[in-house]
Amino acid sequence: MANATTHTPANRGFLEKSGRYGGIFSWIFSTDHKRIGLLYFWCIVAFFLIGSLLGALIRLELFAPGRTIMGAQTYNAAFTLHGVIMIFLFIIPSVPAAFGNMILPLQLGARDVSFPRLNLFSWWLYVIGAAMAVTALFTGGGPPDTGWTFYVPYSVGTTANVSLAAIAVFILGFSSILTGLNFITTIHRLRTKGLGWGRLPLFVWTLYATAWIQLLATPILGITVVLLFVERVLGTGLFDPSLGGDPIMFQHLFWIYSHPAVYIMVLPAMGVISEIIPVFARKPAFGYKAMVISSLAIAFAGSLVWAHHMYTSGMSDTAVMIFSLLTFLVAIPSAIKVFNWLATMYKGSILLDPPMLYALSFILLFSIGGLTGLVLGSAATDVSVHDTHFVVGHFHYTMFGGTGMAFFGAMHYWLPKIYGRMYNKKIATIAWVTIFVGINVVYMSMMVVGVQGMPRRYYDYLPEFTALNRVSTCGAWVLVTGLLMMFVNIFYGTFRGKSVGSNPWGGATLEWTVSSPPPPENFEEEPVVTHGPYDFKKAGVV
Amino acid sequence: MTKHEHIVSYKTIITVWLLLLVLTGVTVGASRIDLGALNIWVALGIAATKSSLVISIFMHMKYESPVFKLFLLIALSVLAIFVGLTLIDVLYR
Amino acid sequence: MSEHHKDYTGAKLGMWFFLFTELMLFGGLFILYAVYLKRYPKEFVTAGDQLSVVLGTTNTLVLLTSSFFVAMSITALQRGDKKFSLRLIGGTIAFAGVFLIIKYFEWTAKFHHGVYPGSPHMKEIAPGESIFFSLYFITTGLHGIHVIIGALVLAWAMLGVKTGKVNGKDWILLENAGLYWHLVDLIWIYVFALYYLVL
C-alpha cells in the first residue's frame, strides 16, 4: 500500500495495482476510475491526432483553388470525418470523461465514482461507438459525406454509409449520458466529511452542470439519429415534405442536443481554467459563488438557444427574434467567468508555468470565440456570414482555442499527478508559443476570408480568396509542429520524466494530498476537509 | 436497507390501482364526446393525473427526499421548455 | 473489491437519472407529435380513428395492472413474503407478454391494410395521416422494445429474489427494476391518450 507522505520512484501507486487480470486486461476490465480516465485519455489523444491530420489535409486541399491533393468526394468525406471525430470522439469526452474520471473522485475524497462498473461500461460504449464510426468509412456506400450535422434531406438520400455512422453516434451518446449520470450521483453521494457544497472545487461544479446537460439533452440526439436511421431504412417520411414531413424539425431536434453540447464541451474546460488560475496566481478564486452560479446558469440558458443555428433555415421570424435574445443572455454568465478569472489574477504572484500559459491563452482565445459568437447570435449580421468560413473560424476559436487549450492545460496540470513524473517545462513552453501562434494564424484568416464571402464546406473557391487561404494553411503547419512538440514532450515526460512529489504546483484541493501516482484506493483514511478549495494558507502550501 | 424506508401498504396500492382503472374508463368516455380542441387537453389532463398517481405511489416518489422531487421537476420542466420553444417556431411560421 | 457500504439512495438516484434520459428519448417523439398535430389536426383525427380503441384500452389495463403487480411485489418482499413476491413479479412478466401479443395483432392488422412505414398506401393517403402512422409505429415500436427490456430486467430481479440475493433487507435491484417498469407504463399512458383517444 502506498503511503501518502513518502513518495519514492519505486512507489507506482495505482499504476502498479494488480487486480484479477494481468497486462492489458488489468486496464480494459478495470473499474478503477483513474485507470478508466487514462483509457479515455489515450483513446481521446489518438482520435485527436487522427482528427488533426484530417484537418491538416483539408487545409492542404484549400491551399490553392481547384484540385490540390484530393477529389471533391474525398474532400466531403474528409471534413465530415474531421467533424465527427473531433466532436464526438475528442471534444465531448475530452475533459469530462478523461480528466473528470481521473480527478473527480480524488477531489471529492472518494474511493471511486458511485457506479464503477457502469463507468467501465461507458468506456466500452465509447470504444464500440468509435469502432463503428471507423467501420462506417470502409463499408457500405463509402464514408459519410454529410458533414457532422447529418442534415436531411441530403443525409437521407446519400448512398454513403450514414446509417452506421448514425448508430455509432447513438452509442457514443449513451456513453456520454452514463458518464454524466455517474458523476451527478457521485457528487451528490460521495463527498467526504467537511466537503459541503460551498467547498467543492470549481472543476467539480462545472462537471456537475455539464452532467445535467448530458443527462437531459443527449437523449434527444439519440432519438434524432434513430429517426434518421429509420428514415433511411424504412422511408417513414417524417422529415420529407412530399410525405407531409418537415425537414426543419430535424434541425430543431438535432440542435436541441447539439447546442447544449457546446456547453458540454466548454463548461468542464472552464472548470479546468478555474482550477489552474488560483493555483498559479497564488490567490483564492475571485467570486466563488458567482462562478458556481454562472456555471449552472450557462448550463440552463445554454439549453434555450439552439435555434440560433437556424436563422436562415426558414423558421418563423418570431422564433428568430426570441432565440437571438436568449442567445445574448448566455454571454452574461460567460463574461462573469472571464472577469472573475482576471480578478483572481489581479495582484497575484503569477507563476508562468505551462498549465498557466494554457489557461491564459484560453481566456484570450475563448473571448475572441465568444465575441465573434455574438456576431452570429445577432440575426441581422448572421444572415450575411451564415455558412461562411467566419463560422468555421468562430467555432474553432471556442472549441480549439477554448476547450482544446483547456485540455492541454489539464494535461500539463494533472498528468504529473497521475503519473508522478514531470515533463520538460522549457519544451512545453516553446510548444505552447508555437500552438498559440498557429491557432491565431489559421483561424483568424479563416474569419477574414469568411467575412469576404467564402462559403464553408466548399471544395473550390474564387481566386481572390487564395492569399488568405495560403496564410491559413501555413498557420496549420505551424500548429501541427507545435502539437507534435507538445505531445512528444508529454509522452516522454510521462514515462521518462523526473519524479515529482505529491504537490508539484502547490494546489489546495484534495487530489494534491495523496501521493503521485495516487494509491489504488485513493485515500488511506477518509479525509476530512477543513478549508475551502483555494485556501492556500490553511492548506499550508504557501 | 435503512430502517426508516417507508413500506407502502397493500391497501394503498390496491386503491391506486382501482383509481387508475376508473380514470382509464373516464378518459375513454371523455374522448367519445366531441369537445373540439379541448379533447386533447382533457386526455392529457387525465393522463397527467394517472401518471402522477403512478409516480407518487407506485414509484414511491411521495416518500423520497425533496431532492428527488426537485430533480423530477427539473426534468419535466426542461422537456416542457423544449416543446414550448419548438412551438414558438411552428406556431408563428 | 473490498466491502464498501452500499449506497441505496445513490443507486435509486442513479436509476431516476436514467429514467429522465428515457423520458427525454421519448420526449423527442412527443415534440414531433405536438408539431405535427398542430399542422394536421384533421388528418390526425381521421388516422387516430383507425386505431382500435378496444385493443388500446385493453393494453392500457394490462400495463396498469402489471405496474400494480410490481408495486405489490416490493411490499410483499419488504414484509418477508417471498413466495407472493415471486408470483407477483411472474405475473408482471406474463402481462408484458400479453401486451406484446396484443400489440403484435394490432400491428399485423395494420400491415394487412397496407399501413406500414414506406408502404405504397402510405404515399397515397393524406400527408398528415401518413405522418401520424409513421409516428405511431416509431413510438409504439420504441415502447415495445422498452417492454421487452423491462421484462428482461424484471426476470433478472426475479432470479435475485429466488436465490435470496434480493430480499427483505436488500431489495434495491427489485426496486430499480420496478422503477423502470413503471416508466414503461407511464410512457404508455401518454401514448394511449395521444394516439388512441385523439378526436
Side-chain angles (χ1 to χ4, degrees):
Chain A
M1 259 312 181
N3 187 308
T5 46
T6 60
H7 172 82
T8 58
N11 167 16
R12 305 254 300 125
F14 75 100
L15 296 169
E16 193 97 76
K17 182 195 153 198
S18 51
R20 232 185 315 166
Y21 312 98
I24 186 155
F25 295 107
S26 74
W27 285 88
I28 62 174
F29 293 134
S30 169
T31 55
D32 180 349
H33 68 97
K34 299 178 290 297
R35 291 199 165 206
I36 294 172
L38 282 178
L39 287 174
Y40 269 116
F41 176 76
W42 290 110
C43 295
I44 284 164
V45 166
F47 282 115
F48 175 74
L49 291 174
I50 298 171
S52 303
L53 178 68
L54 284 164
L57 290 177
I58 295 170
R59 272 315 332 155
L60 203 54
E61 169 54 41
L62 293 176
F63 189 71
R67 187 192 164 102
T68 316
I69 56 161
M70 58 177 97
Q73 185 61 26
T74 318
Y75 178 80
N76 289 349
F79 75 66
T80 302
L81 289 173
H82 172 75
V84 169
I85 288 178
M86 285 304 203
I87 299 272
F88 293 111
L89 300 177
F90 170 64
I91 310 184
I92 287 181
S94 65
V95 179
F99 290 102
N101 261 314
M102 284 182 222
I103 301 302
L104 174 72
L106 285 168
Q107 287 196 330
L108 294 178
R111 291 192 202 212
D112 209 317
V113 291
S114 273
F115 312 112
R117 275 180 299 176
L118 187 71
N119 202 15
L120 178 64
F121 181 63
S122 305
W123 180 75
W124 273 101
L125 283 182
Y126 170 79
V127 171
I128 293 167
M132 287 176 76
V134 173
T135 312
L137 307 183
F138 307 107
T139 52
D145 54 356
T146 56
W148 78 279
T149 48
F150 299 116
Y151 271 12
V152 296
Y154 184 70
S155 59
V156 174
T158 178
T159 54
N161 201 355
V162 172
S163 303
L164 189 59
I167 296 305
V169 168
F170 181 83
I171 292 174
L172 290 169
F174 266 85
S175 162
S176 171
I177 290 172
L178 295 178
T179 302
L181 183 158
N182 220 334
F183 283 5
I184 307 188
T185 315
T186 307
I187 296 169
H188 269 280
R189 302 296 305 166
L190 298 183
R191 280 169 289 127
T192 192
K193 276 194 202 89
L195 191 59
W197 289 97
R199 281 182 182 167
L200 284 183
L202 289 168
F203 181 55
V204 173
W205 270 112
T206 54
L207 286 177
Y208 184 75
T210 307
W212 271 103
I213 316 177
Q214 287 175 301
L215 207 60
L216 296 181
T218 316
I220 306 271
L221 173 75
I223 195 69
T224 312
V225 290
V226 166
L227 287 172
L228 174 61
F229 180 81
V230 174
E231 190 85 31
R232 280 177 65 84
V233 175
L234 299 175
T236 47
L238 282 179
F239 304 122
D240 181 354
S242 67
L243 293 173
D246 181 354
I248 296 180
M249 282 314 297
F250 177 87
Q251 297 190 18
H252 270 300
L253 289 179
F254 180 81
W255 289 112
I256 286 178
Y257 165 72
S258 296
H259 192 77
V262 169
Y263 300 98
I264 294 179
M265 304 172 203
V266 90
L267 263 172
M270 290 171 157
V272 171
I273 305 308
S274 304
E275 288 299 299
I276 292 175
I277 287 185
V279 171
F280 291 88
R282 289 284 176 267
K283 265 185 69 199
F286 181 87
Y288 177 89
K289 271 190 193 147
M291 289 300 249
V292 170
I293 293 168
S294 62
S295 295
L296 299 174
I298 288 175
F300 178 69
S303 306
L304 312 178
V305 299
W306 71 84
H308 66 210
H309 294 267
M310 300 161 55
Y311 290 157
T312 60
S313 69
M315 68 172 181
S316 75
D317 290 344
T318 318
V320 170
M321 276 189 291
I322 290 175
F323 277 106
S324 183
L325 176 74
L326 290 169
T327 301
F328 277 78
L329 289 182
V330 192
I332 299 169
S334 310
I336 289 178
K337 283 198 180 298
V338 171
F339 291 131
N340 279 358
W341 289 323
L342 299 181
T344 304
M345 288 186 286
Y346 178 68
K347 286 194 175 169
S349 30
I350 293 172
L351 300 172
L352 287 178
D353 278 318
M356 186 62 166
L357 293 173
Y358 282 103
L360 291 175
S361 53
F362 171 98
I363 299 178
L364 177 68
L365 298 176
F366 183 76
S367 298
I368 296 176
L371 292 170
T372 51
L374 294 180
V375 176
L376 295 164
S378 152
T381 42
D382 175 71
V383 171
S384 88
V385 287
H386 191 90
D387 265 346
T388 65
H389 262 68
F390 183 80
V391 179
V392 183
H394 152 74
F395 70 71
H396 278 91
Y397 262 102
T398 59
M399 292 294 110
F400 194 178
T403 312
M405 289 313 239
F407 181 74
F408 302 154
M411 230 160 63
H412 288 87
Y413 183 58
W414 276 316
L415 280 189
K417 172 86 242 165
I418 292 298
Y419 280 104
R421 289 174 190 280
M422 185 60 79
Y423 44 83
N424 181 325
K425 286 186 196 173
K426 202 177 274 170
I427 299 179
T429 307
I430 299 169
W432 168 78
V433 175
T434 322
I435 291 173
F436 182 75
V437 171
I439 284 183
N440 281 301
V441 174
V442 180
Y443 301 119
M444 193 59 85
S445 34
M446 271 191 199
M447 287 206 281
V448 176
V449 87
V451 172
Q452 290 175 354
M454 178 168 162
R456 70 189 283 205
R457 288 180 173 169
Y458 277 32
Y459 173 63
D460 201 358
Y461 55 83
L462 297 172
E464 55 261 41
F465 299 138
T466 311
L468 277 167
N469 270 296
R470 290 222 162 132
V471 172
S472 181
T473 302
C474 293
W477 297 335
V478 176
L479 182 54
V480 168
T481 315
L483 288 174
L484 287 177
M485 213 189 302
M486 178 189 74
F487 277 119
V488 169
N489 183 40
I490 279 279
F491 298 161
Y492 188 83
T494 296
F495 299 109
R496 293 274 179 279
K498 269 192 219 136
S499 287
V500 289
S502 60
N503 196 357
W505 310 119
T509 41
L510 276 177
E511 76 267 33
W512 305 108
T513 61
V514 296
S515 58
S516 312
E521 302 255 311
N522 294 352
F523 300 91
E524 292 286 283
E525 288 167 29
E526 206 181 320
V528 179
V529 178
T530 53
H531 55 79
Y534 311 108
D535 198 336
F536 301 104
K537 272 197 197 109
K538 277 201 189 143
V541 290
V542 282
Chain B
M1 186 84 62
T2 41
K3 288 283 172 285
H4 58 266
E5 259 325 302
H6 187 93
I7 299 181
V8 190
S9 70
Y10 290 140
K11 211 177 120 195
T12 316
I13 300 177
I14 293 170
T15 317
V16 168
W17 174 56
L18 291 174
L19 266 174
L20 287 169
L21 298 187
V22 171
L23 282 171
T24 307
V26 172
T27 189
V28 173
S31 76
R32 297 304 100 182
I33 311 164
D34 192 355
L35 302 168
L38 258 180
N39 268 100
I40 189 84
W41 294 108
V42 171
L44 279 176
I46 297 174
T49 317
K50 283 164 81 181
S51 50
S52 53
L53 277 173
V54 172
I55 290 171
S56 59
I57 306 296
F58 283 3
M59 299 172 91
H60 305 162
M61 187 50 100
K62 194 179 160 195
Y63 314 103
E64 301 290 1
S65 64
V67 86
F68 280 72
K69 291 165 192 163
L70 175 72
F71 288 170
L72 178 65
L73 187 71
I74 291 176
L76 292 175
S77 320
V78 168
L79 180 57
I81 288 171
F82 286 169
V83 176
L85 282 177
T86 310
L87 285 178
I88 282 183
D89 167 24
V90 177
L91 293 185
Y92 294 95
R93 211 183 277 169
Chain C
M1 283 266 282
S2 53
E3 267 316 300
H4 298 313
H5 175 66
K6 227 176 165 181
D7 180 11
Y8 292 100
T9 312
K12 241 188 311 184
L13 197 60
M15 191 65 206
W16 270 103
F17 287 139
F18 189 70
L19 298 189
F20 296 160
T21 69
E22 292 281 12
L23 171 76
M24 300 310 279
L25 192 71
F26 280 96
L29 294 172
F30 288 130
I31 292 174
L32 284 180
Y33 181 93
V35 168
Y36 290 130
L37 174 69
K38 166 75 187 60
R39 190 163 301 163
Y40 305 110
K42 290 214 180 68
E43 290 86 343
F44 266 44
V45 172
T46 327
D49 271 351
Q50 293 169 41
L51 296 179
S52 161
V53 179
V54 177
L55 290 181
T57 313
T58 316
N59 255 350
T60 308
L61 298 178
V62 166
L63 269 195
L64 285 174
T65 309
S66 71
S67 240
F68 160 69
F69 283 168
V70 177
M72 290 284 279
S73 77
I74 294 172
T75 301
L77 192 67
Q78 286 167 331
R79 294 190 170 170
D81 196 344
K82 180 172 160 182
K83 221 179 204 168
F84 187 38
S85 178
L86 279 173
R87 272 195 204 148
L88 285 163
I89 308 172
T92 313
I93 297 172
F95 269 41
V98 172
F99 178 90
L100 287 173
I101 290 166
I102 294 178
K103 198 83 247 163
Y104 169 80
F105 282 117
E106 265 192 282
W107 272 34
T108 42
K110 281 274 158 295
F111 291 173
H112 280 303
H113 291 100
V115 178
Y116 53 88
S119 73
H121 180 68
M122 290 271 271
K123 294 199 169 77
E124 285 159 17
I125 55 180
E129 289 177 39
S130 69
I131 290 288
F132 179 88
F133 283 120
S134 288
L135 270 176
Y136 164 77
F137 280 115
I138 293 171
T139 313
T140 54
L142 189 65
H143 180 261
I145 293 171
H146 281 74
V147 171
I148 295 169
I149 297 171
L152 289 175
V153 175
L154 280 169
W156 181 30
M158 195 174 166
L159 196 73
V161 176
K162 210 168 230 169
T163 57
K165 254 179 101 178
V166 177
N167 52 54
K169 289 207 175 64
D170 176 359
W171 63 78
I172 190 70
L173 179 61
L174 181 59
E175 168 116 29
N176 277 349
L179 283 177
Y180 190 83
W181 189 255
H182 293 308
L183 177 92
V184 171
D185 185 21
L186 284 176
I187 301 284
W188 181 259
I189 289 175
Y190 286 91
V191 171
F192 177 60
L194 292 175
Y195 288 89
Y196 290 85
L197 300 182
V198 63
L199 187 81

